[in-house]
Amino acid sequence: MRAFEMPPHARMSLAQQLLLRTLVARFWQKPYTNRLVRWGTDIHDRWMLPHFVWSDFADVIEDLQASGYPMQLDWFAPHFEFRFPQFGDLEVKDIGLELRQALEPWHVLGEEGGAGSTVRYVDSSLERVQIKAKGLIKDRHVIAVGGRAIPLHPTGTNGEYIAGVRYRAWQPPNCLHPTIGVHTPLLFDIVDTWNGRSLGGCTYHVAHPGGRNYDTFPVNSYEAESRRLARFFRLGHTPGPMTIPPSQPNPEFPFTFDLRHVS
C-alpha cells in the first residue's frame, strides 16, 4: 500500500498552525513587556523587502529556540518562496544579481459614481522588486535601472547589497498620479564606473514580453513559475560608454528607489 503523501499547501498550513500555537505558548509563559517600536516610514520601506522580512522572522525563530521550542527556520522556506518568488538572476564578471518580488501596498481611492451606486477603485498599478547584488566593489560598481543609479545598502555580508525599486507596472483608468506613465520593462545594468561601461544586465517584463494575454489561469504552480520566468531575460544591457549620475537616496525611504520621482 502506497504511503500517503501530504500536498505542499497542507504542509505549509500545518507549519503556520504550529508557529501560531508555539507563539501563544511562548507569550503565555513569558509575556512581552518591552515598549513597542515606532517604525514610522520604515513600515513602507524596509519591511516591504524580502531580505528584512526573512531576517526579522529568523530572529523570531531564534527567540523561540532559546525559549525551548525546537522550531527550525528551514520549515518556512516554502512560505518565503511562495510570497516572495524569484523573478530571475544574473552572474557576470564575478558579480551576482537577483531580482525578487517585494511587497507593495495598494491605495484605496475616493468614492466615485457608478451604475446606480458609488464605487472605490484600488490603485494596483504600483509594484516593487528587490535587487540583491553580490560581489560588488564599493565605489566602483553601480546597479542602475533605466540609466539611474540605485541607492544600495549593505546586508552585513561583505560585498552584498540590496535595494527596493518601486515602479508603475500598468496604467489603469483610475489611479494616483495619472500623469506618470508606465516604467516597464525594467532594464537593469551592472555598471563599472571606473571604465564607464555596463558589464551586463537583464530585463524584466511585468507581462508577457510579446504582448500576449493569457486566456486561462495556470493549472498548477509549475506553469505559474514558468510564466514568471518567461518574463525575465539575462540580456538587454546598455551598450557602449555609459555615464551614471550619482544616486540620490530619499531620506524618508532610504531602502526604496521610486521611479515615480525620477525626472
Side-chain angles (χ1 to χ4, degrees):
M1 183 177 180
R2 189 172 64 178
F4 173 75
E5 182 177 355
M6 187 177 297
H9 66 274
R11 294 196 297 268
M12 293 173 62
S13 177
L14 287 178
Q16 291 177 239
Q17 297 177 49
L18 177 62
L19 175 63
L20 291 177
R21 296 181 64 179
T22 305
L23 289 172
V24 170
R26 191 272 186 205
F27 290 122
W28 183 271
Q29 296 292 333
K30 185 179 179 182
Y32 186 83
T33 57
N34 297 330
R35 293 177 59 87
L36 299 180
V37 178
R38 185 176 181 85
W39 289 107
T41 57
D42 276 352
I43 292 295
H44 290 168
D45 183 36
R46 177 199 298 262
W47 302 117
M48 296 288 106
L49 301 181
H51 173 82
F52 293 107
V53 172
W54 186 247
S55 177
D56 186 59
F57 185 72
D59 290 340
V60 174
I61 298 299
E62 183 178 352
D63 180 81
L64 292 177
Q65 292 174 346
S67 300
Y69 302 98
M71 302 290 290
Q72 298 297 324
L73 185 63
D74 293 341
W75 295 351
F76 301 92
H79 299 75
F80 178 80
E81 294 296 334
F82 177 80
R83 189 61 188 87
F84 306 107
Q86 180 176 314
F87 292 149
D89 53 28
L90 172 72
E91 292 186 3
V92 56
K93 297 291 184 179
D94 300 326
I95 297 175
L97 189 67
E98 177 196 78
L99 271 68
R100 189 176 290 272
Q101 179 178 325
L103 299 176
E104 180 60 43
W106 291 341
H107 296 280
V108 179
L109 306 183
E111 293 183 348
E112 299 183 23
S117 63
T118 58
V119 296
R120 300 187 70 182
Y121 291 96
V122 176
D123 183 5
S124 60
S125 63
L126 293 182
E127 295 185 9
R128 192 180 316 205
V129 62
Q130 174 186 274
I131 309 298
K132 177 175 285 189
K134 299 180 180 181
L136 297 182
I137 299 177
K138 188 178 180 181
D139 299 329
R140 177 178 182 178
H141 296 127
V142 171
I143 306 299
V145 56
R148 296 285 182 167
I150 302 174
L152 300 174
H153 297 266
T155 64
T157 301
N158 186 31
E160 183 178 82
Y161 300 86
I162 68 163
V165 177
R166 180 192 284 126
Y167 58 93
R168 168 149 282 165
W170 61 292
Q171 188 80 39
N174 298 84
C175 62
L176 294 173
H177 312 108
T179 59
I180 298 178
V182 176
H183 299 115
T184 57
L186 299 178
L187 174 62
F188 295 93
D189 283 289
I190 303 175
V191 183
D192 183 351
T193 59
W194 292 0
N195 297 317
R197 289 183 178 273
S198 174
L199 302 177
C202 56
T203 307
Y204 171 68
H205 299 258
V206 297
H208 193 283
R212 177 185 175 188
N213 184 22
Y214 293 104
D215 298 326
T216 59
F217 293 109
V219 296
N220 51 36
S221 60
Y222 297 105
E223 183 180 354
E225 182 179 6
S226 66
R227 292 185 184 183
R228 183 172 64 249
L229 295 178
R231 306 198 309 262
F232 180 84
F233 295 89
R234 295 185 178 92
L235 48 86
H237 70 280
T238 304
M242 190 175 185
T243 302
I244 299 295
S247 62
Q248 298 179 352
N250 186 334
E252 296 293 331
F253 301 93
F255 293 93
T256 303
F257 182 61
D258 197 334
L259 289 175
R260 296 176 303 169
H261 300 162
V262 176
S263 56

